[in-house]
Amino acid sequence: MLTMFRRPVIAVFVCVVALGCAQETEIVAAQPAFPSTPDGTITAVAQGFADNHPEIIWEALPESYRADISGLTASFAAKMDPELYDRSMALALKFIDVIQSKQDIILASETVQNTGADVAAIEAKMTPTLAVVRTFFGSEISTLAGLAAIDWQAYLAGTGAQIMAQADAIPAEEGKDPFVLFDSLQIEVLEEAGDTARLRVTAAGEDPEEISLTRVENRWVPSEMAEQWQAKVAEAHARLDELTPEEVQELKGQAMFGLAMAEGFVGQLETIKTSQEFDATVGPMLQGLMGSIGNFMPDMTGTDDEEPGTDETE
C-alpha cells in the first residue's frame, strides 16, 4: 500500500525534476491553511489526489524545494537547443496522433493478433493511456519556450488534473485503484519528535505500512527525500553546468539524424489504410515491440508477480 501511496507523489517530483524544470518564477506563497502536522500533511495530499487536485504536491513542498525546481527548469531551458527540443516533442505528439488514428487497424493486424496477447485488454488500456500521453506531450511543455515560462503549480492544477482524470479511465484490478484507496487512508502517528515523525498508513484491503517524514521549512516530506534532495539538486545542476554549447551542438547533430529516420517511420505509418498494409510494411519492425507491450499491459496497475526462487548448484 505504501508503494501505491508513494507512486503518484514521487512520479510528480521525478517528472518535474527530470524535465529540468520555469524561468525563475515567483515562488507561490505557502498556503496558511496547509496542515502543519505530519498526519495532516498525508491526509491533505491523499485527499488532494482523491479530489483530482495534483497541485497539492506543489503546496506540500518546502519553499526552497520549489525554488530548486524552478531553478533547474531555467537551467535546462537555457542549455537545451530549441530546434532539437521542439522537433522531438512535435514528433512524439504526431506519433501518438497517428497511433490513435490507426489503433483499430493496428490491433486488427496479424502482427498483433499473432502475439497471443489479449487484444481486448490491450485496447481497453491503450485508448485512455494514449489520451494521457497525448495530453502530456501536447501541453505547455511541448515547446522549449513554453517549458521556460511554465508555472508548475498552474501546470499541475490544469494539465496535471486533466491527466489524472484521463488516467482514471485506465482499467485497474479490483481493489487496486489508487484513486479509491486514497479515500480510505487511515493514518496513525506512531512517533513524533522534533522534526521527525513515524506514521502507520492503512488503506482498505491493504496491510498497514510505516513511513518516516521529516519537517523542512514547516512542510513534512518523506525522510528519504529530505536526506537526498540537496545532493540530487546539486548533481543535476552540475550536469547541466558541464554541458557546453559545443556538446549540445554535437548532440543535436546526432539526434537530428535519428529524428529524421523516426519522422520517416511515422510518415509511413500515417499512410497505412488497412491491417494488411500494416502487416506488410510496418509489422515486421514492430512485431517484437508489440509482443513486449502485450506482456507489459496487464501489469500497468502496479502489481508485481512473484518470481519463483532458483537454486544455484555448482
Side-chain angles (χ1 to χ4, degrees), residues 156-177:
L156 291 170
T159 300
Q162 183 180 356
I163 287 175
M164 282 190 67
Q166 292 170 328
D168 195 30
I170 300 175
E173 289 186 7
E174 185 176 355
K176 298 296 182 180
D177 187 341

Side-chain angles (χ1 to χ4, degrees), residues 33-108:
F34 193 86
S36 60
T37 61
D39 53 329
T41 295
I42 298 297
T43 299
V45 171
Q47 191 60 53
F49 276 103
D51 293 340
N52 196 28
H53 286 289
E55 69 274 14
I56 191 67
I57 283 295
W58 191 260
E59 295 181 35
L61 280 173
E63 188 170 338
S64 65
Y65 286 20
R66 297 179 226 168
D68 288 335
I69 291 171
S70 294
L72 281 171
T73 304
S75 296
F76 176 84
K79 289 283 187 176
M80 175 57 63
D81 180 85
E83 182 184 7
L84 174 58
Y85 182 93
D86 292 0
R87 186 171 169 183
S88 298
M89 296 295 283
L91 174 61
L93 186 60
K94 182 176 180 180
F95 177 70
I96 295 162
D97 286 341
V98 171
I99 293 295
Q100 284 181 316
S101 67
K102 307 293 182 181
Q103 180 175 323
D104 292 342
I105 291 174
I106 294 171
L107 294 178

Side-chain angles (χ1 to χ4, degrees), residues 58 111 145 170 173 185 239 266:
W58 191 260
T111 301
I170 300 175
E173 289 186 7
L185 285 185
R239 289 183 177 180
V266 174

Side-chain angles (χ1 to χ4, degrees), residues 2 9 16 18 22 25 36 47 51 61 75 83 100 113 120 137 143 155 168 188 191 222-223 230 244 247 254:
L2 178 56
V9 177
V16 170
T25 56
S36 60
Q47 191 60 53
D51 293 340
L61 280 173
S75 296
E83 182 184 7
Q100 284 181 316
Q113 297 288 332
F137 281 103
T143 66
Y155 180 86
D168 195 30
E188 177 186 358
E191 181 182 359
S223 295
Q230 290 185 350
T244 66
E247 289 174 328
Q254 298 170 353

Side-chain angles (χ1 to χ4, degrees), residues 305-311:
D305 292 330
E306 192 173 338
E307 295 183 4
T310 57
D311 294 329

